[in-house]
Amino acid sequence: MIWTGLAVTGGTLGAGNIEGTIRVTRRLTRQRVTPVVPAYHRGVVAPAEQPSAGWDREELDRVAVYLESSAELPSTPVIAQLEQRGRRFLSHTLVVPAGSTVSFPNRDPIFHNVFSLSRAKSFDLGNYRQNETRSVVFTKAGVVQVYCHLHPNMAASIVVTPNKWAAKPSPAGAFVLEAVPPGRHAVVVWHPSAGSFRKNVQVGGGAVQLDFEIPVDERQP
């Protein structure tokens, strides 16, 4: 779910929106080198798709925003997909609530093999061809790192959140968590290279503004 702007909507009595911006101040991700075709494949060629966005938008595409709380908050599972195209996963980071199902369609004219050895979810989908897909149900909250056995340059992250209040920032860095229940919570911003950043917030009706800068400037007091 990618938010393209900020919006305030009605909801549960006493609930409020948490909204803000995320600013990435420098490139954080080490660039992966895509092997030339003869290094791993003979026959049909699947050209490597090159990112068109600037580095700041690429880094924002790797960010997940979600809510942590000592209260038991509901999760609303969704059906999502992490597409393989141009020998890449689209996108870098997928955000889904616990209980969600994710499919991994192969859009390339070559085989892919999607797998993960992560503690939150371990799986191996085997080799499958173009326009086939396979699915996984993610029941446990946590970060799942996803790779392809056949193409070592391919990598993505699935952030499985403990409840339904989760989002990805817009290309401009804006995010909103709508109709958050009243109480004290923590907003977590996660980036695969920079790690997790938390800010506590008290929700009691109306909107709360929270802004994040990645990485944190260690010179600040």
Side-chain angles (χ1 to χ4, degrees), residues 34-50 84-88 106-112 128-130 148 150-151 153-154:
T34 302
V36 295
V37 171
Y40 64 87
H41 177 75
R42 293 180 181 178
V44 178
V45 174
E49 184 173 310
Q50 300 301 320
Q84 302 158 86
R85 185 188 297 273
R87 288 184 279 144
R88 299 174 60 218
N106 179 4
R107 304 304 185 196
D108 285 331
I110 56 177
F111 282 89
H112 285 302
Y128 56 104
R129 67 182 74 242
Q130 185 178 27
C148 176
L150 304 178
H151 308 105
N153 64 290
M154 292 177 60

Side-chain angles (χ1 to χ4, degrees), residues 68-80:
E68 283 187 345
S69 179
S70 57
E72 187 173 344
L73 300 179
S75 177
T76 304
V78 300
I79 297 175

Side-chain angles (χ1 to χ4, degrees), residues 133-150:
T133 189
R134 297 181 183 180
S135 300
V136 177
V137 179
F138 295 87
T139 58
K140 182 180 178 181
V143 178
V144 180
Q145 303 293 353
V146 181
Y147 305 96
C148 176
H149 273 302
L150 304 178

Side-chain angles (χ1 to χ4, degrees), residues 8-221:
V8 178
T9 62
T12 306
L13 182 64
N17 288 8
I18 301 174
E19 54 193 52
T21 57
I22 299 168
R23 179 171 172 260
V24 181
T25 58
R26 60 182 172 86
R27 184 185 288 277
L28 298 167
T29 305
R30 187 175 181 179
Q31 297 301 293
R32 291 176 174 267
V33 178
T34 302
V36 295
V37 171
Y40 64 87
H41 177 75
R42 293 180 181 178
V44 178
V45 174
E49 184 173 310
Q50 300 301 320
S52 57
W55 67 263
D56 52 342
R57 291 195 177 187
E58 286 186 50
E59 297 294 357
L60 282 169
D61 187 46
R62 292 178 165 89
V63 171
V65 185
Y66 61 94
L67 197 70
E68 283 187 345
S69 179
S70 57
E72 187 173 344
L73 300 179
S75 177
T76 304
V78 300
I79 297 175
Q81 71 174 25
L82 187 58
E83 190 175 53
Q84 302 158 86
R85 185 188 297 273
R87 288 184 279 144
R88 299 174 60 218
F89 287 110
L90 305 178
S91 63
H92 297 292
T93 297
L94 179 67
V95 185
V96 295
S100 296
T101 300
V102 178
S103 63
F104 300 85
N106 179 4
R107 304 304 185 196
D108 285 331
I110 56 177
F111 282 89
H112 285 302
N113 180 317
V114 182
F115 78 99
S116 177
L117 300 176
S118 299
R119 181 177 299 179
K121 187 69 176 183
S122 172
F123 59 90
D124 189 331
L125 301 184
N127 294 354
Y128 56 104
R129 67 182 74 242
Q130 185 178 27
N131 294 326
E132 291 184 356
T133 189
R134 297 181 183 180
S135 300
V136 177
V137 179
F138 295 87
T139 58
K140 182 180 178 181
V143 178
V144 180
Q145 303 293 353
V146 181
Y147 305 96
C148 176
H149 273 302
L150 304 178
H151 308 105
N153 64 290
M154 292 177 60
S157 303
I158 299 176
V159 179
V160 185
T161 63
N163 53 68
K164 67 180 182 179
W165 285 276
K168 288 184 65 174
S170 75
F175 73 91
V176 59
L177 304 176
E178 296 184 332
V180 176
R184 189 163 181 80
H185 311 288
V187 175
V188 181
V189 171
W190 179 88
H191 183 282
S193 298
S196 296
F197 305 85
R198 287 174 171 80
K199 287 188 178 182
N200 294 325
V201 61
Q202 182 72 39
V203 176
V208 178
Q209 180 77 25
L210 283 183
D211 297 319
F212 291 83
E213 187 172 285
I214 302 175
V216 173
D217 187 347
E218 295 180 354
R219 297 171 299 180
Q220 294 179 354

